[in-house]
């Protein structure tokens, strides 16, 4: 079995996108970060990703992104696959971070569609092909048009999957379910398709998806992982029940830009300090109160922990 075929077997389930915790002085809280990774693995998370959207990569320097990846590799220690986000709006920076991911021992890399630039499909093809050609690790493309203002079209993705053996999957944070269906139709049924939209985690499994990369895993990693486990074991009813059980939590976590409500919730849980770097910030107090009300239905909140 080739290395990339093996990755297609291993990179399945709930790949949790870990937040980047900060201290009061805005430095990275590596202790909390390590604790989060261990907590995820103990609660059934199938893989770990860092410095994706939920990890606030645009608020980190390139050096900090490398430090976060290095800390994750050390903490995970081969227990589950590690697929860090290495994409950027800058091509050379993306090349550097993706090569660095390979150098430090990451199992793969997740590379976002460049944001703000709004490149053409031809330019996107050249960008992703150059990144894939620069390394010998599996690449997961990350398509999130709501944040990048550019949609990677199915035809472009299909051409990349055929021309680059190490481009083995895509995270689709795309509400166009017709587009998502056509990804597997055009790229092949063995192409790894992950949901980045919380309410599509279960539906994507039904059409042959490989799993999900859901921010909600930072709150209830066991339940998010169990959606995949139940489906994989043939317990469709359990997977469906979990899908609807988590709906209210999923909804409230995205009433403001991710990861603002998420970090507020994690602050209430006591797993991190509820701090974002500007220009991101915590939600309004009104929304934080709503987050707390919903969160109380899913987890037992410790006494004396406040989100402000």
């Amino acid at each position: 079995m080739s290395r990339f075929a093996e990755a297609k077997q291993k990179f399945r389930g709930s790949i949790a996108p870990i937040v980047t915790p900060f201290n009061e002085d805005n430095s990275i809280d590596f202790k909390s970060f390590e604790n989060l990774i261990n907590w995820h693995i103990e609660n059934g998370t199938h893989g770990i990703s860092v410095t994706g959207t939920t990890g606030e990569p645009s608020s980190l320097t390139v050096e900090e992104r490398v430090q976060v990846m290095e800390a994750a590799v050390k903490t995970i220690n081969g227990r589950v696959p590690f697929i860090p986000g290495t994409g950027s709006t800058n091509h050379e920076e993306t090349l550097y971070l993706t090569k660095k991911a390979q150098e430090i021992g990451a199992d793969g890399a997740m590379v976002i569609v460049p944001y703000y630039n709004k490149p053409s499909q031809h330019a996107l093809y050249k960008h992703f092909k150059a990144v894939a050609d620069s390394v010998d690790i599996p690449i997961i493309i990350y398509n999130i048009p709501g944040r990048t203002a550019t949609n990677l079209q199915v035809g472009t993705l299909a051409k990349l999957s055929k021309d680059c053996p190490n481009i083995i999957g895509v995270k689709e944070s795309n509400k166009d379910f017709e587009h998502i269906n056509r990804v597997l139709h055009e790229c092949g049924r063995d192409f790894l398709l992950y949901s980045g939209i919380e309410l599509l985690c279960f539906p994507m499994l039904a059409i042959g998806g490989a799993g999900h990369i859901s921010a909600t895993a930072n709150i209830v990693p066991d339940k998010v992982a169990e959606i995949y486990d139940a489906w994989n074991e043939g317990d469709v009813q359990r997977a469906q029940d979990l899908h609807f059980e988590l709906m209210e939590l999923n909804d409230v976590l995205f009433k403001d830009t991710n990861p603002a409500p998420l970090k507020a919730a994690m602050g209430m849980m006591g797993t991190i300090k509820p701090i974002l770097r500007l220009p991101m910030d915590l939600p309004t107090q009104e929304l934080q109160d709503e987050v707390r009300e919903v969160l109380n239905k899913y987890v037992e909140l410790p006494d004396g922990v406040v989100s402000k």
Side-chain angles (χ1 to χ4, degrees), residues 3 39 59 63 76 110 113 126 143 145 155 161 163 169 172 183 191 196 223 226 233 235 252 260-261 283 288 297 299:
R3 182 181 183 184
W39 177 65
S59 296
E63 292 76 15
I76 294 166
M110 185 169 61
V113 170
K126 292 177 67 176
N143 189 30
S161 71
D163 295 347
E172 283 285 356
V183 166
F191 195 68
K223 291 185 181 295
E226 192 183 352
E233 294 163 6
D235 192 346
V252 79
Q288 289 189 52
K297 301 177 183 179
V299 299

Side-chain angles (χ1 to χ4, degrees):
M1 182 182 293
S2 74
R3 182 181 183 184
F4 303 131
E6 183 179 354
K8 286 186 176 183
Q9 298 299 316
K10 289 173 58 180
F11 292 6
R12 293 179 176 272
S14 172
I15 313 295
I18 308 294
V19 300
T20 304
F22 297 122
N23 292 304
E24 287 84 355
D25 63 359
N26 266 349
S27 63
I28 297 172
D29 181 357
F30 283 104
K31 181 60 178 176
S32 293
F33 179 69
E34 293 165 7
N35 289 341
L36 282 175
I37 290 174
N38 288 324
W39 177 65
H40 271 278
I41 295 174
E42 290 163 5
N43 280 274
T45 289
H46 305 103
I48 299 291
S49 184
V50 300
T51 61
T53 302
T54 304
E56 298 172 79
S58 60
S59 296
L60 303 174
T61 66
V62 172
E63 292 76 15
E64 286 176 326
R65 291 183 66 170
V66 173
Q67 290 169 8
V68 168
M69 289 195 295
E70 289 175 336
V73 165
K74 182 178 179 181
T75 305
I76 294 166
N77 194 28
R79 289 177 289 172
V80 296
F82 174 50
I83 312 168
T86 59
S88 161
T89 192
N90 181 286
H91 179 70
E92 291 299 323
E93 190 174 292
T94 300
L95 287 172
Y96 172 78
L97 288 167
T98 308
K99 291 176 183 178
K100 184 61 71 171
Q102 174 171 291
E103 178 185 318
I104 67 175
D107 298 288
M110 185 169 61
V111 185
I112 195 170
V113 170
Y115 37 92
Y116 182 78
N117 292 331
K118 299 184 72 173
S120 68
Q121 296 299 307
H122 174 66
L124 286 172
Y125 173 85
K126 292 177 67 176
H127 169 72
F128 283 115
K129 187 173 190 308
V131 173
D133 288 348
S134 73
V135 293
D136 190 34
I137 55 174
I139 299 293
I140 306 295
I141 292 177
Y142 180 13
N143 189 30
I144 179 168
R147 298 284 285 251
T148 65
T150 301
N151 184 38
L152 182 66
Q153 294 177 6
V154 174
T156 308
L157 181 59
K159 182 170 173 53
L160 284 164
S161 71
K162 291 176 175 63
D163 295 347
C164 306
N166 59 332
I167 293 181
I168 65 169
V170 64
K171 174 186 176 182
E172 283 285 356
S173 294
N174 194 329
K175 293 184 178 180
D176 183 349
F177 204 61
E178 289 188 16
H179 168 103
I180 290 165
N181 276 267
R182 295 187 190 282
V183 166
L184 287 183
H185 182 67
E186 296 295 330
C187 297
R189 299 278 290 279
D190 66 336
F191 195 68
L192 301 182
L193 173 66
Y194 304 92
S195 175
I197 299 288
E198 275 59 28
L199 293 187
L200 294 183
C201 290
F202 172 69
M204 277 206 201
L205 293 174
I207 64 168
H212 30 265
I213 305 173
S214 166
T216 305
N218 285 278
I219 303 295
V220 283
D222 52 344
K223 291 185 181 295
V224 174
E226 192 183 352
I227 293 174
Y228 177 83
D229 289 336
W231 175 265
N232 196 44
E233 294 163 6
D235 192 346
V236 177
Q237 185 66 57
R238 177 58 179 158
Q240 189 180 69
D241 289 347
L242 284 162
H243 167 75
F244 287 105
E245 178 184 332
L246 294 178
M247 188 174 291
E248 187 177 6
L249 179 60
N250 288 329
D251 284 347
V252 79
L253 290 179
F254 288 87
K255 287 196 171 183
D256 195 354
T257 304
N258 181 49
L262 175 61
K263 278 197 158 182
M266 294 176 73
M268 296 169 198
M269 293 169 63
T271 54
I272 65 167
K273 304 175 188 73
I275 298 169
L276 296 91
R277 285 180 176 175
L278 292 171
M280 299 289 287
D281 198 8
L282 290 172
T284 63
Q285 189 58 50
E286 181 181 8
L287 180 51
Q288 289 189 52
D289 292 342
E290 184 179 352
V291 168
R292 180 181 292 277
E293 181 180 353
V294 172
L295 192 60
N296 264 311
K297 301 177 183 179
Y298 292 89
V299 299
E300 184 175 348
L301 298 179
D303 294 332
V305 176
V306 296
S307 61
K308 292 183 285 186

